[in-house]
Amino acid sequence: MTPAKIRARIAGTGLYVPPKVLKNKDLEQFMDTSDEWIRQRSGIEERHVIEPGVGTSDLAVESARQALAAANCTPESIDLIIVATLSPDHQFPGTSAIVQQKLGLETTPAMDLRCQCSGFIYSLNVAKLFIESGQYKRVLVIGAEAHSPLLDWTTRGRDVAVLFGDGAGSVVLEATEDNTGVGAVTLHAQGQFADRLWIEKPGTSKGVWMTDEDVQQGKLYPIMEGRYVFKHAVERLAQVVREVLEKEGRTIDSIDHFIFHQANIRINEKVAELLQIPAHKVHNNIQKYGNCSAASIPMLLDETIRQGKIARGQTMLMAAFGAGFTWAAAIVTY
Ligand code: COA
């Protein structure tokens, strides 16, 4: 008898955002912007931001504790921790190592994965393969971001700063022999467009970590060619959704929920329109949290599950696009 195929199922999810809320109106104090501009262009109404003394790992740990409680397991039962983030506590070591220590663990392996807004889906794929191969039984996957300290909160940085928020989402994946869990995944990257959405410095490029001139020119802040990114995001998301459906021999109709990255509500509306996805199947929470990069998908997943909208046995499709460019999609049965 051939042994049953091992799959990686979602055992529990968690979400954490710092308590401080910045509404669109509040931003008018630091920069030339308006609630109307932000809402119309992106759908965002408010975002959560950290206060001094808190970093990405703190958000990650809070969301991880919730996911562990939902999965009814202890930190000690985790075989591997993966943290997807573009806003690490330090350049090195990885934030995953800090999270491991804060969870009270001694030698559990921990790795960071840097694929920006697609980071959670890339991490899900890595976790899935570790579990399906039999190497690990339970993997904690976290998407966590504290963007607020790295944004330019002046009019110079307004096209980027108003779009982002801080938060974390976690998922405990565990081995199962039933038919649920992570199915087909597709991953893509195109470094040709790296400088369309990036933070250039500090970094080792051109042999210099950072100069005074880099600081003066604002190279420590993210820059984005908004319209260019928007256009690519819509095209690539629609493509990758079709691709992952085809990989599993499915159609849009057979998917119960679409959990898209939360970069801009207009991107998700356009993708839904192109693919003719019924609006009630597309979940969004960018209104409350802004773009939380690698954390957006696990945060939306947790919130939608806790609202009772996703039932065990239902199938969802996750898709993301972000800096790199990177883009990815996964089909998951809850
Ligand atoms: N408040 C007010 N005005 C602002 C502003 C702000 N926060 N940010 C930029 N503007 C101004 C610009 O200076 C520009 O003014 P100008 O026309 O006088 O030069 C104008 O608004 C730009 O408007 P427009 O180009 O029409 O904006 P847009 O419709 O392209 O929307 C984004 C801008 C950024 C919201 C949109 O391009 C976007 O969502 N891009 C993709 C974002 C994304 O997905 N990023 C992350 C990927 S993970």
Side-chain angles (χ1 to χ4, degrees):
M1 207 172 85
T2 46
K5 186 170 168 2
I6 299 172
R7 287 173 60 108
R9 75 182 273 271
I10 295 179
T13 62
L15 175 159
Y16 181 77
V17 285
K20 186 175 175 187
V21 175
L22 268 186
K23 292 187 175 296
N24 290 346
K25 263 254 139 297
D26 300 330
L27 304 181
E28 294 173 12
Q29 292 165 26
F30 335 116
M31 59 177 81
D32 181 11
T33 190
S34 68
D35 178 45
E36 195 196 356
W37 192 96
I38 302 169
R39 267 179 211 253
Q40 270 184 5
R41 296 299 203 296
S42 70
I44 298 166
E45 295 167 17
E46 59 188 39
R47 73 284 296 138
H48 290 246
V49 292
I50 56 166
E51 293 192 79
V54 176
T56 297
S57 65
D58 300 302
L59 310 183
V61 165
E62 291 301 324
S63 74
R65 289 213 172 97
Q66 288 194 18
L68 291 163
N72 202 17
C73 65
T74 60
E76 290 71 24
S77 71
I78 295 294
D79 298 315
L80 171 71
I81 299 168
I82 307 177
V83 175
T85 185
L86 62 72
S87 50
D89 282 23
H90 309 284
Q91 282 288 338
F92 73 85
T95 302
S96 55
I98 315 289
V99 168
Q100 185 242 42
Q101 184 266 329
K102 286 184 177 170
L103 285 173
L105 298 170
E106 296 208 349
T107 59
T108 306
M111 63 163 92
D112 279 30
L113 202 145
R114 301 188 60 175
C115 286
Q116 302 65 248
C117 298
S118 310
F120 179 76
I121 297 179
Y122 267 75
S123 302
L124 204 66
N125 199 5
V126 173
K128 162 192 155 92
L129 295 175
F130 270 119
I131 288 173
E132 288 181 356
S133 73
Q135 182 168 349
Y136 295 130
K137 286 198 161 35
R138 196 172 275 151
V139 180
L140 173 61
V141 180
I142 307 174
E145 306 286 2
H147 291 120
S148 57
L150 57 82
L151 296 170
D152 179 357
W153 292 104
T154 68
T155 298
R156 177 177 69 173
R158 67 180 179 173
D159 59 324
V160 177
V162 303
L163 301 175
F164 289 86
D166 300 343
S170 290
V171 169
V172 173
L173 285 176
E174 66 183 18
T176 183
E177 289 187 2
D178 66 27
N179 227 7
T180 63
V182 186
V185 186
T186 48
L187 309 176
H188 293 283
Q190 195 169 19
Q192 180 189 347
F193 300 120
D195 62 358
R196 306 295 173 123
L197 173 55
W198 72 349
I199 295 185
E200 192 178 348
K201 288 289 176 182
T204 58
S205 68
K206 298 176 188 150
V208 186
W209 184 241
M210 184 173 63
T211 63
D212 290 345
E213 209 184 342
D214 291 333
V215 179
Q216 277 155 20
Q217 289 176 357
K219 289 187 178 170
L220 275 62
Y221 296 119
I223 57 147
M224 173 172 71
E225 286 186 38
R227 290 198 162 200
Y228 198 83
V229 174
F230 189 102
K231 188 174 149 278
H232 276 254
V234 171
E235 272 173 25
R236 292 307 197 185
L237 283 168
Q239 262 174 25
V240 81
V241 167
R242 288 197 190 99
E243 193 183 328
V244 79
L245 285 169
E246 201 177 304
K247 205 167 171 181
E248 234 185 56
R250 282 178 174 273
T251 60
I252 298 268
D253 292 348
S254 74
I255 302 292
D256 301 302
H257 304 278
F258 290 82
I259 306 288
F260 291 148
H261 174 52
Q262 302 290 295
N264 185 327
I265 208 157
R266 288 165 55 219
I267 293 178
N268 293 354
E269 286 168 356
K270 274 245 178 289
V271 173
E273 187 190 314
L274 278 172
L275 297 171
Q276 296 181 301
I277 305 171
H280 72 273
K281 289 188 176 182
V282 182
H283 303 281
N284 288 301
N285 63 5
I286 190 172
Q287 299 90 333
K288 291 190 292 180
Y289 304 123
N291 182 348
C292 294
S293 295
S296 282
I297 287 184
M299 285 169 62
L300 180 60
L301 176 66
D302 177 79
E303 198 167 81
T304 314
I305 288 172
R306 283 179 201 265
Q307 287 167 348
K309 292 179 184 162
I310 302 181
R312 285 282 178 198
Q314 287 193 313
T315 297
M316 61 192 113
L317 191 154
M318 302 173 183
F321 177 91
F325 292 157
T326 57
W327 61 104
I331 294 177
V332 182
T333 300
Y334 182 55

